[in-house]
Structure formats: C-alpha cells, structure tokens
Amino acid sequence: MSSESKFWVIIPAAGVGSRFGGNAIKQYQRVNHDTLLSLTLDTFLSYEKTHRVVVAINENDNEWASLPQSKHIKVTSVEGGDTRMHSVFNALLSIQNEATENDWLCVHDAARPGLTLEALKDMVGEISNHAVGGVMGLPVVDTLKKLSSAGDILETVDRASLWRAQTPQMFRYSILRRALENIISQGLLVTDESSAVEALGHKPKMVLGIERNAKITVPEDLELFRCRLNREVSS
C-alpha cells in the first residue's frame, strides 16, 4: 500500500437483523463479555494501517454509545440509511473532505466478528497494488442445483468457478463512490459493494478468505461462533 494512501474502514451497522429474530439487535448480541460489533471493531483497531473506522448506525440506536470502541480516537459514527448501500454511501460522504481518490475503503459487515488480523493483512497485501480493489470470499464446495418456481430441480450448476462473497470488500475511494452514486441514481439495489463496482465495468479481485469469517445471520450461527471461540480459548 502506498504511503500516501490512507486505509479507511466502514462498518454498516444500521440494520435491525430481522432474520435473526428476537428483540435484541444482532450486532449487539454478546459472545462472552463482548458484543459482535465490538469484536469486529477490535480487529480493525488493532491493525496499524487503519486511519479511521466509520460506523453507520441507526438513528434509533441506543446501544452504540455504551460501547468502549465508540469513544476510540480512530472511531466516528454516521447515521445509516434505509439499506446497506445507503449506509455505506453516507459514510463515504462523511469523509469526503479528508479522503483522497486513491485512498482505500474497506467495508466489513458488523456481524462478521470472526475476521482475524492475519486474514485482514493477507487481503490488504494481495489487493494494495490492484487498480480497483477486491473481495474476500470462499470457493463453493457444495453441489449446486437450479430450481423451478415450483421447487423442482432443473439442472446441476457447475461450481468450478463459483465463490461465496464475504467481507471485507476493499476499493479505492473514487471508484466505490462513483459505483454507489451510479446504482442509487438508477434506483437500483445491490447487497454488496462489489456488485456496484462491477456495474461500472470493473473487475475486482477475489481473495481467499477463512471459514471463521462467516456471517452471523440466525441464532444457530451465533451459537456456532461461541463454540468456536471457546474451543480456541481452551486449546
């Protein structure tokens, strides 16, 4: 990474985790003594190249201010939007007077607390000389089936070139901003930053991730993550 390029992190955390269920917001679920969001933030705050972390939170969020990380000198917050992409765009706008076109923007899900510092460093190392940016992910290992609307199997899909996209997703500031402006201006919706960048004709790089970085979507995912951490502590 060029010494002139800063490394920014955006954590979209304005969602309510409707698929998780219950009354508690997903990113504030606890694993031992930490919330998922706290664990996620700690990884980026321990990375020496992190310039600042911008967390997009819901306007009705009453828990963010209670996290120790919310008071960290490198952490700021911004009001999130109606969707993930709007939250990321709001965060981009909040730093527009300080960020340069070639700065790196690393977007990471609040509910992926399993990202390790080593995996983050590996990704930055692979992407830092790329013109566009890239995505952490894993190759598909299950057999894939294409179904009809009635649920009948139509065909088996070749998985050889298929990957599951994770986060972080890391792009140049100017590219990511133009990509999201393009999608928003058309009234379209994307569920990750790479899709917006691809819509401009760019080809981001895929970087091998780790299973530990799985997204926590339902309560069973949280329990599996707890078990994994407890095994790591006891081993």
Side-chain angles (χ1 to χ4, degrees):
M1 182 182 295
S2 167
S3 59
E4 293 84 21
S5 298
K6 294 187 287 292
F7 182 80
W8 302 79
V9 180
I10 293 176
I11 308 292
V16 296
S18 57
R19 286 179 291 176
F20 191 84
N23 296 322
I25 300 175
K26 181 173 61 176
Q27 55 265 31
Y28 295 115
Q29 293 290 314
R30 291 191 172 273
V31 176
N32 299 329
H33 302 294
D34 295 302
T35 66
L36 300 185
L37 180 54
S38 293
L39 292 170
T40 298
L41 287 167
D42 284 345
T43 298
F44 289 100
L45 292 174
S46 66
Y47 182 42
E48 69 276 6
K49 292 183 179 180
T50 297
H51 177 71
R52 190 186 308 162
V53 182
V54 184
V55 184
I57 61 172
N58 191 287
E59 61 178 344
N60 297 315
D61 189 325
N62 297 316
E63 299 190 57
W64 165 246
S66 67
L67 298 188
Q69 292 83 357
S70 70
K71 302 171 182 63
H72 194 284
I73 191 171
K74 289 187 175 182
V75 175
T76 59
S77 62
V78 65
E79 186 176 314
D82 293 335
T83 68
R84 173 201 175 90
M85 69 178 190
H86 289 95
S87 291
V88 172
F89 188 64
N90 287 354
L92 288 176
L93 292 180
S94 75
I95 62 173
Q96 62 182 337
N97 293 328
E98 186 177 350
T100 66
E101 287 193 352
N102 287 322
D103 281 355
W104 286 106
L105 268 295
C106 182
V107 185
H108 187 64
D109 296 328
R112 288 188 188 271
L115 178 68
T116 63
L117 181 58
E118 292 74 17
L120 174 61
K121 288 181 176 180
D122 287 345
M123 179 179 182
V124 173
E126 287 203 43
I127 294 179
S128 58
N129 293 318
H130 197 274
V132 178
V135 176
M136 184 177 286
L138 291 169
V140 172
V141 295
D142 295 314
T143 299
L144 297 178
K145 304 289 186 180
K146 183 177 181 180
L147 305 183
S148 70
S149 58
D152 299 320
I153 295 174
L154 298 177
E155 63 176 302
T156 299
V157 180
D158 182 7
R159 70 187 181 199
S161 61
L162 298 179
W163 284 57
R164 293 183 285 139
Q166 297 182 328
T167 65
Q169 301 198 1
M170 178 177 159
F171 299 101
R172 301 281 187 180
Y173 178 89
S174 59
I175 291 175
L176 182 55
R177 177 164 176 172
R178 286 200 304 271
L180 290 177
E181 285 175 338
N182 175 57
I183 292 296
I184 292 171
S185 68
Q186 297 183 67
L188 302 176
L189 178 67
V190 293
T191 56
D192 76 341
E193 292 67 48
S194 183
S195 297
V197 172
E198 293 161 38
L200 285 183
H202 295 298
K203 292 180 172 58
K205 183 176 183 179
M206 180 64 79
V207 177
L208 181 64
I210 54 175
E211 286 288 353
R212 194 182 192 274
N213 189 36
K215 187 175 183 180
I216 293 175
T217 303
V218 295
E220 290 79 6
D221 299 331
L222 180 59
E223 189 55 38
L224 287 172
F225 183 66
R226 284 195 182 109
C227 291
R228 180 190 290 271
L229 285 188
N230 290 335
R231 286 198 305 269
E232 292 175 356
V233 170
S234 62
S235 62

